[in-house]
Amino acid sequence: MRTSLTARRLSKAALLLAGVTAVAFTGACGGTGTESADGKTVTVYSADGVGGWYKSQFDAFTAETGIAVNLVEAGSGEVVNRVDKEQSNPQADVVVTLPPFIQKAKQSGLLQPSGIDTAAVPAAAKDADGTYVTMANNFLCFIANPAVDASALTWEDLLKPEYKGKLQYSTPGQAGDGTAVLVLLQQLRGKQGALDYLAALQANNVGPSSSTGKLQAKVDKGELLIANGDVQMNLTTVQEKGSKFNVFFPAADGKRSTVAVPYMMGLAKGAPHKDDATELMRFLMAPAAQAKLGPEAFAVSPRTDVPAPADGGPAAALKGVDVVPVDWNKVLTELDADVAAYQKATGS
């Protein structure tokens, strides 16, 4: 199995202090983390990008409840694939991923209703059957190395020969942000127009990537000049790591557009620690934790009683950008055919 992230295991003592372990997507089926001394542990499989907020909230949760949290991060599609492969021996308690992969998880019977109170979350931001809810709102974007003036870049500009071997985007069907690239282009150009564009862009594309997060360091170092990303993850990385890249939205016909790619959370079917997992989900969706999404993660709470930060953060990045509505359930219905058509068009 391909390694998706660097494995880092904390000792039991350190885990009790930190409450978080990042573990690898490797090895045979079995335990994915270290339990706390009294055996209370929750394992979270999550799309990468909100690690800083997770760290502070998991620390607070462990301090309050004594329940340790094991965190497994990877690309959005990879998260769901792992849960699917482990159905005979479930390891995940909580699943957090982007659309349409959370919808795919429900459709595949990988989630169960959590029973947590989501009354403060609008109907459009949660599943009617209670299997998943938006944990943090987020939006597709692109990032550019400072060597590139990204202020007025258009989609057509990305096809220029000067970006050959210096541009990469995460793979549709594997990564949530990569799938969002395909979906946005479909909204802007129609399905065939999106395929024609991505076929042309393939001349510049470095190759597939199952994780959008891994592209950030490459753009920061200048190995890439342009990559896709999402507002929350990219702004957080700039703040926490001092990365030198700029967030931008390619324009079409003089208009910049994006689609929402929220982090959505569900309770895994067969969760080994169901009660503790539900307690963690309640904690993460509570106003106190949700209010930290802006300052700690550059994300926007879906709760109607948690106001978005007035200054800076995602609001500033999205100024003048149209957010195109997407029916993610419809996207999921057509995803296999769309990904197959994408692979044929790009030869990937």
Side-chain angles (χ1 to χ4, degrees), residues 73-147:
E73 292 182 298
S76 303
E78 200 167 353
V79 166
V80 176
N81 289 340
R82 173 70 180 257
V83 177
D84 190 26
K85 290 176 181 177
E86 294 175 349
Q87 284 191 74
S88 62
N89 182 25
Q91 302 296 313
D93 294 301
V94 177
V95 179
V96 180
T97 191
L98 308 184
F101 299 103
I102 196 72
Q103 289 83 2
K104 180 180 179 180
K106 178 191 175 182
Q107 185 185 79
S108 301
L110 304 179
L111 303 175
Q112 61 179 312
S114 66
I116 66 171
D117 182 6
T118 60
V121 178
K126 59 188 177 184
D127 174 40
D129 297 325
T131 60
Y132 59 81
V133 62
T134 296
M135 183 185 75
N137 278 315
N138 190 21
F139 304 89
L140 172 72
C141 68
F142 280 72
I143 56 176
N145 182 273

Side-chain angles (χ1 to χ4, degrees), residues 271-289:
H273 312 96
K274 180 180 177 181
D275 291 343
D276 292 340
T278 302
E279 190 167 355
L280 174 63
M281 293 176 69
R282 288 195 185 99
F283 185 91
L284 295 177
M285 291 302 299

Side-chain angles (χ1 to χ4, degrees), residues 153-167:
L153 282 179
T154 68
W155 287 100
E156 293 301 319
D157 288 333
L158 304 189
L159 301 176
K160 292 179 178 179
E162 64 199 72
Y163 298 122
K164 183 177 179 61
K166 289 291 186 178
L167 179 149

Side-chain angles (χ1 to χ4, degrees), residues 100 107 191 327-338:
Q107 185 185 79
K191 287 201 173 187
D327 181 345
W328 287 107
N329 286 306
K330 181 179 179 182
V331 169
L332 178 61
T333 300
E334 302 171 355
L335 183 61
D336 287 346
D338 286 348

Side-chain angles (χ1 to χ4, degrees), residues 138-142 155 176-178 180-182 184 228-231 248-249 257-261 318 321:
N138 190 21
F139 304 89
L140 172 72
C141 68
F142 280 72
W155 287 100
D177 294 321
V181 171
L182 176 60
L184 177 57
N228 72 314
D230 63 66
V231 171
F248 75 100
F249 302 85
S257 304
T258 187
V259 293
V261 282
L318 289 163
V321 179

Side-chain angles (χ1 to χ4, degrees), residues 226-248:
I226 292 173
N228 72 314
D230 63 66
V231 171
Q232 178 278 322
M233 177 174 61
N234 296 146
L235 293 182
T236 298
T237 301
V238 169
Q239 181 187 61
E240 294 182 352
K241 298 183 178 180
S243 294
K244 301 296 192 296
F245 51 68
N246 298 308
V247 169
F248 75 100

Side-chain angles (χ1 to χ4, degrees), residues 43-87:
T43 295
V44 178
Y45 283 10
S46 178
D48 48 13
V50 286
W53 180 73
Y54 275 152
K55 177 64 168 63
S56 69
Q57 298 311 309
F58 291 169
D59 282 351
F61 177 74
T62 300
E64 181 178 306
T65 66
I67 302 170
V69 183
N70 293 336
L71 174 62
V72 178
E73 292 182 298
S76 303
E78 200 167 353
V79 166
V80 176
N81 289 340
R82 173 70 180 257
V83 177
D84 190 26
K85 290 176 181 177
E86 294 175 349
Q87 284 191 74

